[in-house]
Amino acid sequence: MRVRVAAAQFGCVEGDVRANVRRIADLASEAREAGSTVMVCPELALTGYAPGLIGADRTLWTEAEDARLDPLRATGITLVVNGAAAGPGGRPQIVSTVYAPDGAVVAVYAKEHLYENEREVFEPGSGGGRFWADGIGYSLGTCFDNHFPEVPARNAAQGCRVHLASSLYGTGGGREERGAVHPAIAKATGMYVVLANHVGPAGPWTGCGGSAAWAPDGAVVVEADESGPRLLVADLEVEVRD
């Protein structure tokens, strides 16, 4: 079965949820018009990558039904959007919310493996991270999660065929990590892997772009450069299993 999946590569406006929602909604509409059925966004796309600011300003935390996110529920595409939401212990979590084309919430996944500076602000999640759309299982992993093979492996074991990575990889060492981690996931799990990355200034880093899709054998299907924002569209030949 052929499925078209999009990855949104862009630079976020730090601390401005409404501005980022507008940008994501525009990209999602573009993805839908291009025939994509699913679009994935980078890590902390709703707020920009600003852990300190997020920890200090609860107005940057969003729940799935937050009215500021209404434009995302109206895009008519399955949309994976990452932001900050209240965790069970009172601190925020880094959360991917998945909206169906009709705006319903089909999954919420909190990042399990926090990177160094994130541990001072955020609570880790505790598993999950999968959903189904049009009979295809999708796996979720947020940035550093993808460095832990058990995260995509458990979702592949549950029948997922496409792994969606919402991430921030920066220039410098991030380029090499980005190019090593994701094809390794594909080869280990037999899933396609689709990465959405930041490009340009992103908190203490500079996003290196390079959003891409890899086939189950680790080969690149399509890849963006780091010259600027763009919508990456990948056609995947997915084997649907009963």
Side-chain angles (χ1 to χ4, degrees), residues 22-102:
R22 289 193 296 269
R23 184 64 183 278
I24 295 165
D26 287 346
L27 287 166
S29 296
E30 182 182 344
R32 187 195 67 240
E33 291 168 6
S36 303
T37 56
V38 176
M39 188 181 91
V40 59
C41 295
E43 182 176 26
L44 290 175
L46 289 174
T47 60
Y49 189 87
L53 183 60
I54 292 166
D57 186 356
R58 291 182 66 99
T59 68
L60 298 179
W61 305 9
T62 53
E63 302 304 323
E65 303 298 336
D66 192 308
R68 292 173 293 178
L69 307 187
D70 284 349
L72 305 182
R73 289 189 282 272
T75 58
I77 189 173
T78 299
L79 180 60
V80 182
V81 61
N82 192 270
R91 293 197 294 165
Q93 293 181 310
I94 299 174
V95 171
S96 284
T97 302
V98 183
Y99 295 105
D102 65 0

Side-chain angles (χ1 to χ4, degrees), residues 21 73 108 135 212:
V21 164
R73 289 189 282 272
V108 178

Side-chain angles (χ1 to χ4, degrees), residues 59-228:
T59 68
L60 298 179
W61 305 9
T62 53
E63 302 304 323
E65 303 298 336
D66 192 308
R68 292 173 293 178
L69 307 187
D70 284 349
L72 305 182
R73 289 189 282 272
T75 58
I77 189 173
T78 299
L79 180 60
V80 182
V81 61
N82 192 270
R91 293 197 294 165
Q93 293 181 310
I94 299 174
V95 171
S96 284
T97 302
V98 183
Y99 295 105
D102 65 0
V105 176
V106 297
V108 178
Y109 169 69
K111 182 177 183 179
E112 299 168 65
H113 299 282
L114 300 175
Y115 189 69
E116 297 174 354
N117 58 311
E118 296 168 356
R119 298 169 192 156
E120 300 173 5
V121 175
F122 298 103
E123 296 179 22
S126 57
R130 68 189 75 92
F131 68 95
W132 272 257
D134 299 320
I136 297 171
Y138 292 85
S139 166
L140 300 174
T142 305
C143 205
F144 199 41
D145 280 338
N146 297 300
H147 294 238
F148 293 81
E150 64 270 19
V151 173
R154 70 167 180 242
N155 293 326
Q158 293 293 320
C160 292
R161 308 309 305 146
V162 182
H163 182 70
L164 304 175
S166 297
S167 299
L168 167 55
Y169 287 95
T171 55
R175 290 186 177 101
E176 288 68 36
E177 289 183 352
R178 170 213 155 276
V181 167
H182 301 90
I185 291 172
K187 288 188 283 188
T189 64
M191 293 190 289
Y192 283 91
V193 176
V194 180
L195 164 69
N197 194 27
H198 288 256
V199 67
W205 291 289
T206 299
C208 68
S211 297
W214 290 267
D217 63 0
V220 174
V221 176
V222 63
E223 186 173 31
D225 61 22
E226 58 183 80
S227 62

